[in-house]
Amino acid sequence: MPRHDWILTDVDCGIHHSSLLLSAADVPGSPAGWSMCKTTLQGGLRQGVEAVDLANGLLRVRVLPTRGMGLWKAWLGDMELGWQAPLRGPVHPALVPLDEASGVGWLSGFDELLCRCGLEWNGAPEFHADGRVKHTLHGRIANLPAHRLHFSVDTDARSLGLCGEVDEGRLFGPRLRLTSTVTTVVDSPTLLIEDCVANLSSRPSDLQLLYHINLGRPLVTPGARLFAPLRRLIPKDEHSARDLATWQEYPAEQAGCQETVLFLELAADGRGRTSVLLQAADERHGLLL
C-alpha cells in the first residue's frame, strides 16, 4: 500500500489532534529522514495557533491551518526563508481586528512567507457611504481556520502531502471553499502548493485571490535581483517610476521610504505557466516561483 493517510482535524466527525508527530519509522517502506509535526503554539499573540511542520530531510516548512493554510516560514538547511514583521507571530485570528474602522486591521496579523488574500475580496479596504467598512484590506481567508486537515505519505512517489479545507461564507453572502494541498518530496528543495476554490452556493459568486509572497533577509539584501520574463512593466505611481532602469535590483534599506510597486505582465507557455527568480546578492542562493 503506497499511500498512508491520517486525519488531523475533521470538524464534522469530531476528530482533532492538537499535537501529533509522525516520521519514517511510522510508515514501513518509506524513505528515511522525513517528519510531520503538528503542534498548538503557546504564549503571546500565537496562543492557540495550530502549526504543521513538514520536513523532507532537506527542506522544512511550517503551514498554519488556523490562518487559512498560510505558509509561515521555510528553512533550507540553516537558511530561513520569510521576513521579520514588527510583531511576534504567527498571530491568532481572534486577535486580528478585521472590523477596525480604518479597514486595515488585517495588518495586525500579517507576517507569513505566503499569505492568501481573498476570497470574496483581495484589495484595499472598501467602505460604505456612511464610512463603515464594507471589505477589509485583503479579505478574510488568511484569518479563517481549516475545518478539515489530513496528512498523507506516498512511499512510491517519496512524497509528503498536507491538505486543508477552509470555508469563507456568511448568511445572504458568498459561500466559498478553499482546498489547499501542500506537497513536497523527500530530500527535495521544492514545494508544490495546489489550491482549488469551490462555490458552495446555488448562486454565482465573485472570486478574488492574491498570493502575497514576502521575503526578507538573508535572500533580500542590497544587490539582490529579480529575474522575470517581462512582456510589460507598469509602475503604480510617479515614485515607483523613478528608477525603472534598475528595477531588478534591490537597493539598501532606507527608513521611512515610500513603497515601490511595479505591475509585471509576464510571458508564459501555452498553459499560462511562467517563472520568476529572486537571486540573493551572493549569486549562490535564490528562490524560484
Side-chain angles (χ1 to χ4, degrees):
M1 183 177 179
R3 176 166 167 148
H4 304 259
D5 293 90
W6 293 263
I7 297 176
L8 306 182
T9 297
D10 192 322
V11 170
D12 294 338
C13 297
I15 299 172
H16 180 71
H17 295 277
S18 58
S19 63
L20 183 65
L21 174 62
L22 297 168
S23 68
D26 299 297
V27 182
S30 71
W34 66 266
S35 66
M36 185 285 299
C37 181
K38 183 176 189 287
T39 57
T40 301
L41 306 178
Q42 305 294 325
L45 297 174
R46 62 180 59 189
Q47 181 72 35
V49 173
E50 295 191 341
V52 179
D53 283 18
L54 297 180
N56 69 14
L58 180 64
L59 176 70
R60 177 167 66 96
V61 299
R62 173 162 287 188
V63 183
L64 303 176
T66 307
R67 291 190 51 81
M69 295 296 290
L71 181 63
W72 188 56
K73 291 186 187 295
W75 294 264
L76 187 65
D78 295 331
M79 175 181 287
E80 180 178 285
L81 304 178
W83 67 295
Q84 183 57 60
L87 47 87
R88 294 183 182 274
V91 181
H92 196 286
L95 301 176
V96 180
L98 289 181
D99 294 329
E100 187 178 273
S102 66
V104 297
W106 183 92
L107 294 172
S108 297
F110 168 50
D111 78 334
E112 290 98 331
L113 167 60
L114 186 154
C115 177
R116 294 172 186 79
C117 307
L119 297 170
E120 180 186 5
W121 178 264
N122 76 1
E126 186 177 42
F127 300 88
H128 294 282
D130 61 3
R132 291 180 298 111
V133 177
K134 181 178 181 181
H135 291 118
T136 180
L137 172 69
H138 289 328
R140 301 170 56 215
I141 193 64
N143 288 283
L144 294 173
H147 65 268
R148 192 172 193 278
L149 185 69
H150 77 265
F151 170 69
S152 62
V153 177
D154 189 318
T155 56
D156 286 352
R158 297 170 52 86
S159 65
L160 316 175
L162 182 70
C163 181
E165 293 181 3
V166 186
D167 284 0
E168 179 182 318
R170 62 179 183 273
L171 186 62
F172 308 128
R175 290 186 61 214
L176 299 170
R177 172 171 293 168
L178 166 72
T179 301
S180 178
T181 304
V182 180
T183 307
T184 188
V185 175
V186 172
D187 292 330
S188 168
T190 65
L191 186 72
L192 175 65
I193 297 177
E194 297 177 283
D195 286 354
C196 175
V197 178
N199 180 12
L200 305 183
S201 172
S202 60
R203 297 178 296 178
S205 177
D206 289 337
L207 166 66
Q208 299 184 17
L209 184 55
L210 167 69
Y211 293 87
H212 213 307
I213 299 172
N214 316 285
L215 290 155
R217 291 180 178 272
L219 284 185
V220 180
T221 61
R225 293 171 62 84
L226 181 69
F227 295 89
L230 280 184
R231 288 190 184 277
R232 289 194 302 167
L233 183 152
I234 302 173
K236 175 185 176 183
D237 48 33
E238 290 186 4
H239 169 79
S240 301
R242 292 187 310 171
D243 300 311
L244 289 183
T246 58
W247 74 269
Q248 287 179 280
E249 186 165 328
Y250 288 80
E253 300 95 326
Q254 181 180 342
C257 181
Q258 181 181 339
E259 70 176 2
T260 296
V261 180
L262 304 174
F263 300 104
L264 278 59
E265 180 183 339
L266 304 183
D269 64 16
R271 296 183 297 165
R273 298 177 64 87
T274 189
S275 299
V276 295
L277 172 69
L278 174 65
Q279 177 185 274
D282 64 8
E283 300 185 358
R284 295 180 55 246
H285 300 90
L287 180 69
L288 177 73
L289 299 175

PDB file of all heavy atoms in Angstrom, residues 38 52 168 189 270:
ATOM      1  N   LYS A  38       2.604  18.190  14.165  1.00  0.00           N
ATOM      2  CA  LYS A  38       1.508  19.143  14.379  1.00  0.00           C
ATOM      3  C   LYS A  38       1.546  19.589  15.831  1.00  0.00           C
ATOM      4  O   LYS A  38       1.581  18.766  16.752  1.00  0.00           O
ATOM      5  CB  LYS A  38       0.155  18.520  14.069  1.00  0.00           C
ATOM      6  CG  LYS A  38      -1.020  19.478  14.208  1.00  0.00           C
ATOM      7  CD  LYS A  38      -2.327  18.806  13.784  1.00  0.00           C
ATOM      8  CE  LYS A  38      -3.461  19.833  13.716  1.00  0.00           C
ATOM      9  NZ  LYS A  38      -3.890  20.261  15.046  1.00  0.00           N
ATOM     10  N   VAL A  52       1.713  23.081  11.440  1.00  0.00           N
ATOM     11  CA  VAL A  52       2.163  21.775  10.960  1.00  0.00           C
ATOM     12  C   VAL A  52       3.505  21.963  10.275  1.00  0.00           C
ATOM     13  O   VAL A  52       3.614  22.709   9.295  1.00  0.00           O
ATOM     14  CB  VAL A  52       1.157  21.140   9.983  1.00  0.00           C
ATOM     15  CG1 VAL A  52       1.687  19.797   9.485  1.00  0.00           C
ATOM     16  CG2 VAL A  52      -0.201  20.961  10.650  1.00  0.00           C
ATOM     17  N   GLU A 168     -15.174  30.139   3.587  1.00  0.00           N
ATOM     18  CA  GLU A 168     -15.462  31.558   3.797  1.00  0.00           C
ATOM     19  C   GLU A 168     -16.902  31.793   3.384  1.00  0.00           C
ATOM     20  O   GLU A 168     -17.273  31.556   2.231  1.00  0.00           O
ATOM     21  CB  GLU A 168     -14.524  32.442   2.964  1.00  0.00           C
ATOM     22  CG  GLU A 168     -14.808  33.931   3.119  1.00  0.00           C
ATOM     23  CD  GLU A 168     -13.910  34.801   2.266  1.00  0.00           C
ATOM     24  OE1 GLU A 168     -12.697  34.511   2.201  1.00  0.00           O
ATOM     25  OE2 GLU A 168     -14.424  35.763   1.664  1.00  0.00           O
ATOM     26  N   PRO A 189      14.460  20.303  -2.637  1.00  0.00           N
ATOM     27  CA  PRO A 189      14.354  21.695  -2.200  1.00  0.00           C
ATOM     28  C   PRO A 189      13.091  22.379  -2.720  1.00  0.00           C
ATOM     29  O   PRO A 189      13.004  23.605  -2.706  1.00  0.00           O
ATOM     30  CB  PRO A 189      15.612  22.334  -2.815  1.00  0.00           C
ATOM     31  CG  PRO A 189      15.781  21.591  -4.107  1.00  0.00           C
ATOM     32  CD  PRO A 189      15.355  20.159  -3.815  1.00  0.00           C
ATOM     33  N   GLY A 270       2.014  27.757 -23.200  1.00  0.00           N
ATOM     34  CA  GLY A 270       0.658  27.556 -23.684  1.00  0.00           C
ATOM     35  C   GLY A 270      -0.351  27.273 -22.598  1.00  0.00           C
ATOM     36  O   GLY A 270      -1.562  27.455 -22.798  1.00  0.00           O
TER      37      GLY A 270
END
